[in-house]
Amino acid sequence: MSSDALQALTGAGIAATSADSFGPTAVDVPPESWVAAHEVLRDAVGFTFFDFLSASDELKDGFRIVSHLADFWGGSHVEHVLVRTLVPRDNAVLPTLTDVYAGANWHERETHEMFGIGFAGHPNLTTLLLPEEFEGHPLRKEFVLASRVAKPWPGAKEPGESDHAPAGAPSRRRTLPPGVPDPETWGPRPPGSPTPDPLAPAEAASTPARPRRTATPGERRARRQPTSPATPAPDSPTAAPPASAPSEGDPAAGADE
């Protein structure tokens, strides 16, 4: 049934595309078809069970919202599908799915407070997990983990920085804990100073420090040949003389007999 999801969406005039996924079938739909796509999957394909809805921060690409739908048939057999869409960062708003799946209510509230994504038409888009006085959205990648700044991070212990390290031990350059940007890129700033890019620390963390080597198509890495010990030359003083069989007239031949 999962293979029918894309056909049903495109047959309904929705510009859906198949997406790579490590698990269930995933389809990408435009934001304006978010609700219509779920209606088609529920009514025409049979995905009547709403499992969850969440999001991921794609930095300057925006936010990717994903829902997981399922259908139970044939006893314990279950079909799954992931529905995804991408909303811009500066206008992260989607229509609510609560009129299609009642179970989307709490999931949209959680996604709203964790990522700051709005769901137009939601009946009660209020705080679900965080205290009302909490500021910010913790699952956004530019969100600063203040506790990492206020408390020592055990993982930052470098040689020479440990409480048990001997005096004068060598020390390497200190590294910032995860979630803590450089002090110059956040916090109160003097009047007139340029406003830092809040996504700069997250983008720097997502860039690999050393790019992988890309092989030319058809190129194969040469296998490393095992090294064998060098055979000493016959004239070398360490070379043992070749053993020869004793002759019949040799008196030492029968010494051990």
Side-chain angles (χ1 to χ4, degrees):
M1 187 178 295
S2 298
S3 59
D4 300 334
L6 184 61
Q7 297 179 4
L9 292 173
T10 54
I14 298 174
T17 57
S18 179
D20 293 334
S21 173
F22 291 103
T25 300
V27 291
D28 287 327
V29 299
E32 58 271 14
S33 303
W34 180 246
V35 175
H38 286 80
E39 291 176 343
V40 171
L41 293 174
R42 181 195 63 180
D43 301 334
V45 188
F47 289 101
T48 57
F49 182 81
F50 179 89
D51 188 19
F52 70 82
L53 181 144
S54 188
S56 64
D57 189 342
E58 304 292 337
L59 298 175
K60 292 186 177 180
D61 291 337
F63 296 99
R64 191 176 304 277
I65 295 89
V66 57
S67 67
H68 178 230
L69 310 178
D71 175 49
F72 300 89
W73 61 277
S76 60
H77 190 82
V78 183
E79 291 285 348
H80 305 265
V81 68
L82 295 174
V83 188
R84 311 187 313 180
T85 193
L86 193 66
V87 295
R89 197 174 197 89
D90 56 353
N91 186 27
V93 179
L94 269 182
T96 181
L97 291 177
T98 52
D99 293 335
V100 184
Y101 296 101
N105 191 315
W106 282 24
H107 295 266
E108 290 180 349
R109 289 174 60 186
E110 179 184 18
T111 305
H112 171 67
E113 64 180 345
M114 293 296 175
F115 291 93
I117 301 172
F119 292 92
H122 192 284
N124 186 32
L125 201 60
T126 57
T127 302
L128 178 66
L129 301 175
L130 301 174
E132 295 183 358
E133 63 274 10
F134 191 90
E135 297 182 3
H137 307 287
L139 293 187
R140 286 196 174 201
K141 289 184 177 179
E142 77 267 21
F143 184 81
V144 177
L145 301 177
S147 60
R148 294 296 194 194
V149 181
K151 300 178 182 179
W153 180 53
K157 295 295 184 182
E158 297 286 348
E161 298 176 1
S162 173
D163 298 335
H164 304 286
S171 176
R172 293 179 292 179
R173 180 177 58 87
R174 294 182 65 100
T175 57
L176 291 173
V180 179
D182 187 88
E184 298 298 326
T185 62
W186 73 287
R189 308 183 65 78
S193 59
T195 302
D197 182 6
L199 295 181
E203 289 183 330
S206 64
T207 304
R210 180 182 298 176
R212 290 187 176 182
R213 177 181 177 272
T214 56
T216 306
E219 177 187 0
R220 297 182 61 183
R221 293 185 60 183
R223 180 177 297 179
R224 186 176 180 181
Q225 299 296 332
T227 57
S228 58
T231 304
D235 298 337
S236 174
T238 60
S244 59
S247 60
E248 295 181 358
D250 189 354
D256 296 336
E257 296 181 0

